Structures are given as structure tokens and as C-alpha cells.
Amino acid sequence: MTGSTAIRVETLSKTFDTAAVLHDLSLDVRAGELLALLGPSGSGKTTLLRIIAGLDFPDRGRIVFGAEDATRLPVQQRAVGFVFQHYALFKHMTVADNIAYGLNARKRADRPGKSEIKRRVGDLLDLIKLSGFADRYPSQLSGGQRQRIALARALAVEPRVLLLDEPFGALDAQVRKDLRRWLREIHDRTGQTTIFVTHDQDEALELSDRVAVLAKGRLEQIGTPDEVQEAPVSSTVLKFLGDTIEVEAIAQGGEVRVEGRLTPVTAPAGLVGPVKLYARPWQLQFAESHEAHLHGTVRSSYRSQGRQRIEVDRPEGKTVVVEASDTARLPAGRAVGLRILAGHVFAG
Amino acid sequence: MSEIATDLPRPQAASVVTEGGLVRGLLVTVAIVFLALFLVLPLVTVFVQAFAKGWDAYLAAFREPDALSAIRLTLITAAIAVPFNLVFGIAASWAIAKFEFTGKNLLVTLIDLPFSVSPVVSGLIYVLVFGSQGLLGPWLIEHDIQIIFALPGIVLATIFVTFPFVARQLIPLMQEQGTAEEEAALTLGASGWHAFRTVTLPNIRWGLLYSVLLCNARAMGEFGAVSVVSGHIRGLTNTLPLHVEILYNEYNFVASFAVASLLAGLALVTLGLKSLLEWRYAGDLAASGRRH
């Protein structure tokens, strides 16, 4: 379903006042894909999205739509659909008028007839499953409904690319999950090239075809959700994608040792000497002292998303979090050993 | 919640910031007496004096050519000054609310200037610039352009005195509304003008109407600044407030108060419409009243 390059971002740089928000950032967006721009706040992801939309302009670099250089193209001529975090619906217009806005704004020669607009609005309302809401006003709708209307409004102009800026950021957790799945469905049905910005890893990994991880205005990694999770290129990516524990280790000849004991983790060629080993909470296991890589005492344990998590204080003062498959509670103060089952190493 | 509350001893007042009955009564009485003495009584006096010699004398005050001319001049002045301030106010608040630029704070301060300067000084400024002894005086005389002691001067002084009204109301409103809706309109292909007409203007319409109402009331009622630049030429450069003063100085009390009653009536209508707008569209007028 994904194919040729729809949008090419070339060595984009942008500075606001004195703070640089994008540094020589390049990436390709494939036609028909659902791409997530994932990064912490201040990573420049929203700025990148606004530059693609034409709501901001870069200091250097180019934006190419297909074969057309769009860097200086005004926003009106870019044919993008933009969905804002806080919906930005026209509150004095009905739902139907909101959706029809882009069609009504066209020059007379390009504007579809009244009945054609009405039909298109009806189709879109069916698509977002809000058929009976044409005559309501935005203030009469819930947050989730408003965001669906905002999406229909953006789709009405048949954009080349759909851009969503933290589309679920202002919604409750449950509504958010429903809308995520719903957006994926809409995407699968329309095949619309879509870029969405999020700081929520789960959202990016669950929803997208590919994830672009941004940090401090640079592209750290771009790849499928599996690729970025299984083969992160840097500790930044790894740490941003979920909870990690960080352990001092020694690498030599591809082998990695923690406190002198060999781990199943392999080091990339050329990485020798003191390194940092990163593991997820579920990549640790309680073990007998003689086969453990780490030692410590239980500080506390709690439940997170139905799984038991135990905080273990290590002698040098650091605390690591372990996710245990069994639900037996370990009393605080109990001495435990931990074995590393998997992980990644990066230069310390 | 309420079941629990009934079991507890009731506090003396409904809320800790509410005063007892005596203090409350005293405060309300003071306020009412004050209002009656300084607002209602003078207003009633205007109408009582105006009708002191009956309907015929009242109406006669408006049959005078000078009075008609004053009414006409006031209407013309307001008809020029109010639209001018409408355009200026929208432009200034648009620039201030939606863009960042150097000198923004200075512009905001300058917009407030007419509120802090005495109207007499405002009028005097124009005399000093455009008067025959003024800065541009010789040039204006040479080209046979009269500003002071003529309609242009009166309009200029009125515009100066009333220009904060629209901008002051719209700036916080527009700042609060932000630019997201306009951006949405632009991404949907609307031109800047189309977005302004279909999105920005409808969002500020009630605030705009409200401020135009107040601006108009002030434009028609302005005395100080206009008095300095008008020259008090009867039948030519007298506005309604100036006409009232002239009649009063000539001991023509009935006519004076009759004309004054017209201005008082305008004030009452403005007040009524203003209250209506505040009651009906409070959310759209207050910057904090956004619905989502």
C-alpha cells in the first residue's frame, strides 16, 4: 500500500528568535503511508509539520511535494489537510458548514454545485459516523466528536497529505484509544498519505506504518514500529520509546559483561571497553545469586497496567524497575538477584 | 453532599466572604443613595427642565435652524469618525493580537493615550498643528484648506478622542481567540480576505458592535476637544454639546435642556443596547468566555 515518495523534506533548518528548533532535518514520506513524528516536547516535530503545511517557513532547506518544490508555496495552494490539537472548528458555523468550508472557499469556477457539496458533506459525515449531526454547532459536541468533524473538514478538500498535530492530545484516555483505532480504519479505507505528530510512544507504535523519532530538532531514526523497537540506533531512541534501566557494562569482542558476568546481549563490532547496557523492565528476571548480573534490595512493588513492577535499589544507589510475570509480592528489604535476558548496548 | 452538610452546625454566613445583614444593608443603601444623587437626579432634572414650559416650547427648540444644523453636524461627524475608528480598531487589534513585531508595546500604549490626555489638550494639539499660527498653518492657508474652525478639525478631534474604544475591546478578545481558526481556514484554501470575512469577523461581531456603540456615544457627546477646534460658529461649526452650552449661556434654559435631553436620550438608548448585548452575548464579549 505504500509506494513512491509523496513528500521529501530536505536539510530543513529553522530558528525561532535565537533557539534552533530544526537542524538539517531530512526525511521522505511515502505515498499512502501513515507516518508518526514522535518526539518529546521541544523536539521540533510540530514545527516540522507546520512547515510541511505552509503555516511556517524554513530558514534553509526544501519541501518537495511529488516533483514540485513547495518550499515557498503559500498554504492555500499546498492542498494539505490540517487537523489541530484543539480542533479549531469554526464555532459560529454548523457541522455541515464546517465540513463544507474548504469547498465553499474555492473560486466560483472550481466550486462544486450546492447539491454536490451537500452530497460530499453527507458522505463524510457517514465516514466519521456522525450522520445525524449536520445541523449541530461545535459547542454541542464532545471533544472526540469535534475532532472527528475536524478530520472530515480536512478530508473534504481531498488533500494531497493529511497532517495531524497531536490530534488526540486534548482527549480522555478512553476516547483517545477509540479514536486511534478509528483513525487507522479511516486511513486503511481512504489510503490517504498521513503524517501525525505525537509525544505518546504507544500511540505512534500502535497506529503508524513508520515512526520518525525526533530529538532536539534532529531525526534520530525512521523505520517501522518493529524496527525502531527492536533495533534502536541510539540510546535516545531507546529511552524515549519506553521505560529502561541503565547499567554499566564492559564490551569486548562482541561480548558484554555486567559485574564480570557474561550477558546474552551482543555488542556491535568496534564497540569495546566501558559501555552502557539498556534493558526494558521485562527483559530482567529474578535469579539466584550465582547467576545474577545485578544485586539489590526490594524497595517497593506496584501494579501497572495489570502487571507487577518491582523497584530494586542497587548498592551503588541506582534504582531499577523489573516487571515480573508472577504476581507474588516481594516484601520490601528482601535481597534479590537480577538476570539480564536481553538489551542493547551503546557507547557510554 | 447536602445530607452531610445538614448534620454540621450551620456557619453564620453562607460564605466566608459574605458580610452580615447589617453591613450588607448599609453598603447597598450607600450605593443607591449615591446613584440617586449623582446620576438619576441630574438625568431627571434634564427632562423636567426641558418640559418646564410644555411640549410646544420643547419642540420649538428643534425647529430652530441652528439646532438642526448642530444635529446635522453631530451626525456627520459621528458618521465619519465611527467607521474610521472601526477600521483602525480592527486593523490595530488584528496586528497586535495575531502578530509579533517590534514596537508592539508602544502601539498598545499609544492607543490608550486619548484616555489619559485631557480632551482640551487633544483639541489644542490640532490647533497647534493645523491652526493659522500652527505648524502647517501657512501651507494650509496657501492651498486654501481650512481644518481648524471647520468640519475636518471637528472630525479629527473626535477621531482622536474616540479611537481607543474599538481597539481596546477587540485586542483581548482577539488575543484570546488565537490564530488556530484562521490557520484552519487558510489550510482549507481560503484567501486571507475570505478567512477574515468568514472566520475572524463573525468571531468578534458582538464585541465589535458593543465597542461601536460606545464609540458612537462618545463621538456624539464629545465636548472638550471639539470645543477647542470648532470656533463656535453658530449654524456652521456647533455640534450638539456645543449648542447646549451656547443656549445655556444665553439663559435659554428650556431650549438648552431640550437639546440636552436628546443627548441624554442617546445615552439611555446606548446604555440599554449595551446591557442587552452584555446579557445576551456575555460569552462573546468577555475574552475569558470561550466555550471550549
Side-chain angles (χ1 to χ4, degrees):
Chain A
M1 59 184 258
T2 57
S4 55
T5 300
I7 299 171
R8 184 182 295 262
V9 175
E10 287 178 11
T11 59
L12 216 58
S13 291
K14 173 77 180 172
T15 305
F16 279 124
D17 294 329
T18 53
V21 284
L22 293 176
H23 298 276
D24 279 343
L25 192 144
S26 301
L27 66 88
D28 286 354
V29 183
R30 296 176 190 153
E33 80 171 332
L34 182 51
L35 175 74
L37 297 180
L38 175 66
S41 57
S43 59
K45 55 192 191 303
T46 293
T47 305
L48 175 60
L49 196 77
R50 289 176 60 87
I51 290 176
I52 294 173
L55 293 171
D56 262 321
F57 291 93
D59 300 334
R60 271 183 294 116
R62 297 204 308 157
I63 300 286
V64 183
F65 280 30
E68 182 192 5
D69 184 347
T71 315
R72 294 287 145 193
L73 205 60
V75 50
Q76 293 94 339
Q77 291 166 32
R78 293 205 185 186
V80 297
F82 203 100
V83 175
F84 296 81
Q85 182 177 0
H86 297 286
Y87 332 119
L89 290 178
F90 308 127
K91 52 186 180 298
H92 59 285
M93 292 183 200
T94 61
V95 164
D97 287 341
N98 263 282
I99 296 174
Y101 187 88
L103 299 173
N104 284 324
R106 286 185 187 167
K107 289 198 183 72
R108 202 172 294 275
D110 308 328
R111 196 187 304 156
K114 270 210 164 67
S115 56
E116 168 66 9
I117 290 179
K118 203 169 151 80
R119 192 188 60 74
R120 295 258 288 269
V121 169
D123 288 351
L124 283 161
L125 282 170
D126 287 342
L127 181 74
I128 59 168
K129 300 199 174 74
L130 286 174
S131 303
F133 288 71
D135 296 326
R136 303 271 188 104
Y137 283 88
S139 57
Q140 299 167 307
L141 305 177
S142 71
Q145 289 170 334
R146 285 182 203 174
Q147 199 55 300
R148 276 145 73 188
I149 303 294
L151 187 80
R153 182 178 69 176
L155 286 172
V157 294
E158 291 170 346
R160 283 193 280 201
V161 56
L162 189 60
L163 306 169
L164 303 104
D165 183 12
E166 302 256 9
F168 314 126
L171 301 170
D172 301 339
Q174 192 51 48
V175 179
R176 209 175 170 138
K177 285 211 165 143
D178 292 345
L179 272 194
R180 252 191 233 172
R181 241 159 267 144
W182 172 82
L183 179 64
R184 182 72 230 188
E185 261 175 51
I186 298 263
H187 178 264
D188 291 345
R189 207 165 337 151
T190 59
Q192 175 80 54
T193 308
T194 305
I195 306 175
F196 78 100
V197 157
T198 181
H199 62 267
D200 181 334
Q201 314 86 350
D202 293 339
E203 195 166 290
L205 297 172
E206 180 185 317
L207 196 54
S208 62
D209 295 318
R210 290 199 304 157
V211 181
V213 183
L214 270 63
K216 293 179 183 155
R218 292 193 168 84
L219 178 67
E220 287 280 331
Q221 186 171 8
I222 184 166
T224 64
D226 287 345
E227 280 165 12
V228 294
Q229 283 182 101
E230 282 159 23
V233 298
S234 66
S235 57
T236 312
V237 173
L238 187 97
K239 279 192 264 188
F240 189 66
L241 288 181
D243 294 336
T244 51
I245 63 149
E246 190 181 312
V247 181
E248 310 289 335
I250 303 288
Q252 198 165 27
E255 293 180 334
V256 179
R257 287 168 196 277
V258 172
E259 291 182 8
R261 190 160 281 153
L262 187 66
T263 66
V265 182
T266 53
L271 193 59
V272 174
V275 293
K276 288 258 166 63
L277 186 151
Y278 299 89
R280 302 285 184 208
W282 55 88
Q283 292 172 329
L284 294 173
Q285 197 181 44
F286 289 108
E288 294 301 321
S289 185
H290 64 274
E291 37 177 38
H293 297 110
L294 305 170
H295 301 271
T297 51
V298 174
R299 173 208 280 254
S300 66
S301 62
Y302 57 91
R303 275 184 171 275
S304 169
Q305 311 237 327
R307 313 202 64 174
Q308 193 73 24
R309 288 194 162 198
I310 299 106
E311 289 182 329
V312 176
D313 284 334
R314 295 179 60 204
E316 70 270 24
K318 278 189 183 168
T319 302
V320 296
V321 178
V322 188
E323 203 166 279
S325 49
D326 57 61
T327 55
R329 276 189 175 264
L330 288 164
R334 160 90 55 94
V336 289
L338 292 170
R339 195 172 162 70
I340 295 163
L341 302 177
H344 294 275
V345 288
F346 294 103
Chain B
M1 187 74 187
S2 57
E3 281 172 43
I4 300 165
T6 49
D7 294 335
L8 296 167
R10 279 183 70 87
Q12 290 292 307
S15 138
V16 287
V17 291
T18 304
E19 301 296 340
L22 186 67
V23 178
R24 220 181 315 163
L26 208 64
L27 284 171
V28 171
T29 312
V30 167
I32 287 177
V33 168
F34 187 86
L35 279 177
L37 212 59
F38 289 92
L39 272 171
V40 180
L41 197 62
L43 199 61
V44 170
T45 310
V46 169
F47 287 96
V48 167
Q49 290 285 344
F51 290 103
K53 290 184 181 164
W55 261 104
D56 289 341
Y58 180 81
L59 288 177
F62 298 109
R63 279 195 213 104
E64 224 198 314
D66 287 353
L68 290 176
S69 137
I71 292 172
R72 193 164 51 239
L73 182 62
T74 297
L75 291 176
I76 290 171
T77 305
I80 300 170
V82 174
F84 180 90
N85 278 328
L86 179 81
V87 173
F88 168 81
I90 292 175
S93 31
W94 174 274
I96 286 164
K98 317 244 167 177
F99 300 104
E100 288 303 324
F101 54 91
T102 41
K104 187 162 147 173
N105 285 336
L106 186 70
L107 184 58
V108 176
T109 312
L110 285 178
I111 286 173
D112 277 347
L113 188 70
F115 276 166
S116 50
V117 169
S118 161
V120 177
V121 176
S122 313
L124 218 52
I125 295 166
Y126 288 104
V127 174
L128 292 175
V129 175
F130 300 113
S132 56
Q133 311 296 320
L135 210 59
L136 301 176
W139 187 87
L140 289 171
I141 291 168
E142 210 173 287
H143 292 82
D144 204 20
I145 302 169
Q146 182 149 21
I147 291 181
I148 300 303
F149 308 145
L151 180 67
I154 294 171
V155 170
L156 278 176
T158 306
I159 286 174
F160 180 83
V161 172
T162 55
F163 87 53
F165 283 94
V166 177
R168 286 272 299 217
Q169 172 72 26
L170 293 188
I171 289 168
L173 194 61
M174 281 186 162
Q175 273 174 337
E176 219 282 323
Q177 289 177 344
T179 50
E181 283 184 46
E182 281 84 4
E183 285 182 344
L186 297 183
T187 61
L188 291 167
S191 64
W193 172 242
H194 187 81
F196 176 76
R197 227 163 27 83
T198 55
V199 176
T200 312
L201 215 49
N203 274 343
I204 59 166
R205 59 192 157 173
W206 297 118
L208 196 61
L209 186 58
Y210 182 88
S211 59
V212 162
L213 206 62
L214 295 183
C215 183
N216 181 60
R218 181 66 193 269
M220 290 189 169
E222 174 55 26
F223 178 84
V226 171
S227 172
V228 177
V229 295
S230 115
H232 305 267
I233 307 164
R234 290 190 92 153
L236 272 181
T237 64
N238 269 347
T239 60
L240 275 178
L242 302 184
H243 191 61
V244 171
E245 193 208 17
I246 288 178
L247 292 172
Y248 185 83
N249 288 344
E250 288 169 348
Y251 305 104
N252 192 348
F253 295 128
V254 169
S256 169
F257 280 103
V259 177
S261 74
L262 208 59
L263 286 170
L266 171 75
L268 289 176
V269 169
T270 302
L271 203 64
L273 289 174
K274 176 175 166 290
S275 307
L276 184 72
L277 278 176
E278 279 170 353
W279 167 70
R280 181 73 184 76
Y281 301 104
D284 291 310
L285 293 175
S288 55
R290 233 159 107 83
R291 279 176 299 231
H292 58 261

